[in-house]
Amino acid sequence: MVSRPRGVAKRLRTPARRWRAGVLLGAGNALNLLVRLYGDTDKLSHGYLPHYETHVGPRRFDSMLVFEIGVGGYESLTPGGSLAVWRDYFFRSRIVGLDIEDKLVRLGSRVAFERADQNSHEDLRAVVARHGVPDIVIDDGSHVGAHIRATFEFLWPQMRAGSIYVIEDLSTSYYPSYDGGDPPPPSSAIALLQSMVDSVQAQDNTFDRYPEWGTRSAPAHADLQALHVYPGIAFIVKG
Ligand SMILES: C[S@@+](CC[C@H](N)C(=O)[O-])C[C@H]1O[C@@H](n2cnc3c(N)ncnc32)[C@H](O)[C@@H]1O
């Protein structure tokens, strides 16, 4: 016997109904439920969602350009759930998914897909030329330190004040299979974040008020307002 969907599952049977429900859940900052609506992303199991709600949630009503690097799983044409989640969460924004592999993304006119290697400034330049400079970047791509750094080095200087840059799956900085190690090497995402701590602290006005106490070295990232680091994920805020 074929089982029929009942209750909530029945009401959310069509993509249009899921989309409407998703926008309502997004407006309520219920990212946890929104991710469950679409499934097929590991952001829930990693425990990242409360941090997204805290750091990007306040921007969800804005009209922005959001890039997510890494769309769906490896060697799969399907886009996974994360782009649908961002479409509904940032319901006034345009979403661009970037991946080195081709993906079949059909999520309405606000969601675009670009085949691009995050390690190639030429590819990133073409994406920015087509869509503009992003307000939010979510790097969930190759997780190789050199690639993460190449992407950040290209996009960050162009991003406006108030923009947010997210790097996921930081554990890979510790894995040799991702060119990482313990301790993480200078090429890793963790080393990049460590240099950002210096950049944030260099802005402490104590250095100007009490120059006789000592000098500070010039910050590597002068426009970095805040850095929020949690297990596996970092949120970088531009000043
Ligand atoms: C972890 S999955 C993305 C998961 C997705 N963001 C989600 O939450 O469901 C990683 C993706 O990064 C892509 N990728 C790997 N290397 C890349 C590169 N150099 N540039 C862009 N994308 C890359 C892979 O093809 C894969 O689809």
Side-chain angles (χ1 to χ4, degrees):
M1 194 176 106
V2 180
S3 67
R4 289 164 188 252
R6 291 198 288 162
V8 174
K10 188 176 177 184
R11 283 200 293 278
L12 298 178
R13 223 169 14 184
T14 68
R17 286 178 182 178
R18 270 205 298 279
W19 191 338
R20 275 199 294 275
V23 169
L24 285 175
L25 292 171
N29 208 13
L31 197 46
N32 201 299
L33 294 176
L34 179 48
V35 164
R36 285 172 202 269
L37 182 68
Y38 291 109
D40 208 8
T41 167
D42 58 5
K43 297 186 195 310
L44 175 65
S45 59
H46 277 298
Y48 297 156
L49 300 181
H51 309 309
Y52 272 107
E53 288 173 354
T54 300
H55 296 291
V56 302
R59 304 286 309 274
R60 69 193 185 284
F61 300 114
D62 295 355
S63 174
M64 303 184 293
L65 178 62
V66 179
F67 282 6
E68 181 166 50
I69 299 160
V71 174
Y74 289 90
E75 290 168 18
S76 154
L77 259 183
T78 55
S82 65
L83 287 184
V85 167
W86 299 135
R87 176 196 64 189
D88 296 1
Y89 195 56
F90 302 113
F91 67 95
R92 291 197 173 118
S93 296
R94 285 181 299 124
I95 316 296
V96 180
L98 290 75
D99 202 289
I100 199 167
E101 304 287 347
D102 243 336
K103 307 281 171 168
L104 280 173
V105 177
R106 292 200 189 95
L107 292 168
S109 58
R110 281 195 297 108
V111 184
F113 173 77
E114 294 289 346
R115 189 172 186 179
D117 179 353
Q118 72 171 124
N119 194 35
S120 158
H121 284 188
E122 200 182 323
D123 283 7
L124 295 174
R125 191 172 292 113
V127 175
V128 168
R130 202 163 303 138
H131 297 279
V133 175
D135 302 287
I136 293 184
V137 174
I138 297 163
D139 185 344
D140 188 21
S142 75
H143 303 307
V144 173
H147 299 177
I148 293 168
R149 297 177 80 105
T151 313
F152 182 83
E153 278 159 17
F154 183 79
L155 293 176
W156 179 258
Q158 305 180 55
M159 291 169 75
R160 289 170 285 271
S163 298
I164 302 172
Y165 199 105
V166 187
I167 305 178
E168 287 193 10
D169 294 353
L170 296 169
S171 59
T172 52
S173 284
Y174 300 85
Y175 300 143
S177 53
Y178 286 86
D179 294 345
D182 191 4
S187 61
S188 67
I190 288 291
L192 175 65
L193 296 174
Q194 285 165 346
S195 74
M196 289 178 188
V197 173
D198 293 333
S199 295
V200 173
Q201 294 313 315
Q203 297 168 53
D204 185 338
N205 65 18
T206 304
F207 293 107
D208 295 327
R209 286 161 56 220
Y210 304 104
E212 68 277 16
W213 289 0
T215 53
R216 63 178 170 190
S217 53
H221 315 281
D223 40 11
L224 205 154
Q225 184 187 75
L227 174 66
H228 307 273
V229 182
Y230 302 94
I233 191 165
F235 296 79
I236 306 150
V237 184
K238 186 138 180 177

